[in-house]
Amino acid sequence: MSAAAPPQGRRTDESNTPTTNNPRPQRGSITSLLFLTFVFFLMSNHDGGDDFTARNHYKDTLSSLEWQLSNYSAWLNGSQPTNFTLPPRPSGEYRVISETVPHPGILDPLTRSYYPNITGFIRGDASFRNLTSELMPALEWNETEVAQKLGRWNWSATNKVTISFLSRPMDEKEREGFESVAMLNGHVEAIDGNNAREIHLDFVGIQFLDTGSVYGFAQDSGMSVDIRMLPSLVPPDLVNLTAHAVVPVLEDNIAKVKTLLASNDLTSETNTTPPESTCQFALYAQVHPSNVSAVDMRELEDELMHPTGVTTVSRPPLQLDLALVSPECGVLIGAKEADGMRSRMFFRKVTSYAGFAGLVYLAMLLLLSNQMSESRTPASLSRISRWSFIVQALADSIAFAGHITFAILADGRPSMALVAPAFLACALFSYEVQFVLLIQQVQAPEDLAALPPVPSPQSSVTTPSPSGVPTSTQADAPPISSLQPPPRPLLSLFRMIFWSVWYDEHNRIWYFVFIVFALVVRVVVAPGLAVVLLAVLYSSIWVPQIVRATRRGRPCALGRRYVIGTTVGRMLIALYFLGCPKNVMDVEPRAWVYVLCAFVCVQATVLGLQASFGPAFFLPSRLADSQGYDYHPPLSDTETGPLGDCSICMDAIERPPQDLSGKPSRRGMRTRASYSLAPCSHLFHTECLERWLAIKNICPQCRRPLPPL
């Protein structure tokens, strides 16, 4: 007669103790489809605009530019009647500019020279000057109109100015007659010192190479700048040259619009956001002369644009004095000795940073990979805090998004160089998420053990065993099935999504990734928020690990090489951006970054001391006892002989001496005892249970979850 098969849904172990299967809930296909549809909806482009509207917008722009060119050419040649005239500048403006921006004039080319090409980035400390009283006699002021033009922007709080210059390339035919000038365009950013807000202005202008002078207009990005007014800014002897230099720029703009109309990819560039301020500024700038001859400066420029490896003179610093003047609003923003950096030099600096950051992230990735290979056992994973790696994963996701954004903004080879640290930061993020999931899988029984017990039909009766170790004779713990969620009925859409997120591990992971992605996108577009969030994350890298080791009474399983290497790598990145005044992102140095680095180093030191002197070495003796499960309960003084048989090796467990019964030491770590009593009242040799927990974290007898040993 064959033996009866076990009931369906159950299994039997070596002790013929029936246990309940605990199948993982299947991921719902409907909720996954809804989640993917929602993500694709957010990623899709809904603001491209209608092609017909965009084409009409470009046609109107083309008609306006062609009319401006014909009207301007008629005024310039004097062949046809035209209504175009150059407006006069206020009489007091030149006096104010001469005080703020002095002009050295033409230099001796044998001893000194100006930079012939200022394509690059200029940044300097700004000062505000109210011109209302100085220009009042020359202008008729309307306070209401002036207030409307000033808008919401507080110009008096401007403390920094950043300008990006780009020289317009000219072919040999266009350069004939314009060898001494360079047409410029770019952007001007004024920074509010009170709240770190920025206002962006578009810039067009002209540079005179012989005198190092720059003249131009700057206006809000949503408003077009009329380049035909440029001759009104320059000195009288340069008006004719400037007026003729404007014509190729207008023709080039018309050609660009025609090219866009001929293409099939048209997007509307209309901006519905009202401008912060509608004040129009005239920019006056003067390049500082260098102590380099004109010949050496030309060789230096050729080597920068077309590197051949030849030896040149040392590169002199690029500095400018500049002034942004708005007579209609009575505002002057001045900057003295603003530092400049050529674009090629900036791109080299970006490439150098990309190499440095790539090496740092590669080192941290190798350290993490090695640590993951060393901490694969449940015994090791139970002594690692998953929150330390969640914090690092959040920081690396922000770093990945930041580097990708920087790579998009940078053009050419620097963009490709920045892909390397972005890729390594993304790889580090993925490894950390995998490690978090692995730790969560091992430490999940701790969460189950924290749930309140469910009463069983049969009461549990505890009786003392002959060996003196308390045991349970019936229903030691609730069955595993009682800890599972009840069957899910037919619910509404929102309740179904809630249930899928709450009980489905895969859905929880996807929703968590989506929330992190949304947070990272929001942080990247707000640099101030990114700095604060990264500082908070970096300051709490090892705190969860210290807390877990102290509460569990066991030092962490992270190797010293990983802890030290990761700490050094994180602090190098933080010190570069928050401690170096010449970083590539132009982030203002923060004095508290050194306090942050010292605090993180103290955390790493505490982790090392916990391994040497015990997890609670820094706590008083009355607080040094850990809160973990005690596998070594005190024994009865009246009983003698063996404690019983080990449930793993089946050998007898000898009674240990009284001073080795698992009492906490002064350092917070429990002494090793030869016996271990599990929460399910099964008895083991400590060494046998430790080897078993290195493989699985469930009881080998009844398959119930076990806390860390």
Side-chain angles (χ1 to χ4, degrees), residues 14-70:
E14 293 79 6
S15 60
N16 295 327
T17 303
T19 60
T20 304
N21 247 341
N22 183 20
R24 292 177 68 178
Q26 297 296 323
R27 188 161 124 194
S29 58
I30 297 179
T31 56
S32 299
L33 178 62
L34 291 175
F35 173 76
L36 292 176
T37 304
F38 181 61
V39 172
F40 288 146
F41 173 77
L42 293 179
M43 295 177 62
S44 61
N45 184 15
H46 295 280
D47 56 353
D50 184 65
D51 181 75
F52 178 77
T53 304
R55 184 172 294 277
N56 286 337
H57 171 72
Y58 282 110
K59 286 182 178 180
D60 294 340
T61 303
L62 178 60
S63 300
S64 176
L65 289 175
E66 290 177 342
W67 178 85
Q68 290 180 9
L69 178 59
S70 61

Side-chain angles (χ1 to χ4, degrees), residues 351-433:
T351 304
S352 300
Y353 161 75
F356 158 74
L359 290 176
V360 172
Y361 281 110
L362 178 61
M364 291 193 294
L365 181 62
L366 294 177
L367 288 172
L368 178 59
S369 178
N370 184 64
Q371 182 64 50
M372 291 176 63
S373 62
E374 294 177 355
S375 304
R376 284 289 182 181
T377 62
S380 298
L381 293 174
S382 64
R383 293 189 288 137
I384 299 176
S385 173
R386 59 182 179 268
W387 290 106
S388 290
F389 291 92
I390 291 176
V391 167
Q392 295 188 64
L394 288 174
D396 291 330
S397 64
I398 296 176
F400 163 70
H403 283 93
I404 285 295
T405 304
F406 195 10
I408 294 173
L409 297 178
D411 192 13
R413 287 176 293 179
S415 177
M416 298 302 298
L418 288 168
V419 172
F423 170 77
L424 292 172
C426 181
L428 187 60
F429 167 78
S430 63
Y431 270 64
E432 287 161 347
V433 171

Side-chain angles (χ1 to χ4, degrees), residues 599-658:
F599 181 58
V600 177
C601 292
V602 168
Q603 296 177 35
T605 304
V606 170
L607 284 178
L609 295 177
Q610 282 183 319
S612 301
F613 300 101
F617 75 94
F618 54 89
L619 294 178
S621 301
R622 58 187 178 86
L623 301 176
D625 192 10
S626 63
Q627 302 178 9
Y629 175 77
D630 185 9
Y631 276 92
H632 315 299
L635 303 178
S636 174
D637 297 336
T638 60
E639 301 293 338
T640 59
L643 299 177
D645 295 337
C646 175
S647 299
I648 296 178
C649 67
M650 308 308 293
D651 291 340
I653 302 176
E654 299 296 334
R655 181 180 296 273
Q658 188 62 26

Side-chain angles (χ1 to χ4, degrees), residues 445-528:
E446 299 178 13
D447 301 331
L448 294 177
L451 294 175
V454 179
S456 57
Q458 298 179 353
S459 60
S460 174
V461 181
T462 304
T463 59
S465 66
S467 60
V469 179
T471 59
S472 179
T473 59
Q474 182 69 27
D476 305 303
I480 299 298
S481 59
S482 64
L483 300 177
Q484 298 301 316
R488 293 177 286 181
L490 294 177
L491 300 173
S492 63
L493 176 62
F494 294 103
R495 288 191 177 184
M496 181 172 59
I497 295 177
F498 171 78
W499 277 72
S500 66
V501 174
W502 187 260
Y503 292 111
D504 194 328
E505 179 182 354
H506 294 280
N507 283 343
R508 285 202 303 268
I509 294 173
W510 281 110
Y511 277 97
F512 174 75
V513 171
F514 172 75
I515 293 174
V516 169
F517 175 77
L519 175 64
V520 167
V521 170
R522 179 65 185 89
V523 166
V524 168
V525 298

Side-chain angles (χ1 to χ4, degrees), residues 208-264:
F208 296 96
L209 307 182
D210 296 336
T211 60
S213 302
V214 178
Y215 304 89
F217 286 108
Q219 200 164 1
D220 187 270
S221 300
M223 306 173 64
S224 59
V225 179
D226 193 352
I227 195 175
R228 299 178 300 167
M229 302 299 174
L230 195 58
S232 65
L233 298 180
V234 302
D237 57 329
L238 299 175
V239 171
N240 188 47
L241 178 62
T242 305
H244 284 84
V246 169
V247 176
V249 178
L250 290 173
E251 293 175 346
D252 188 40
N253 293 339
I254 293 174
K256 290 180 180 178
V257 176
K258 288 182 177 180
T259 303
L260 289 174
L261 285 172
S263 65
N264 295 324

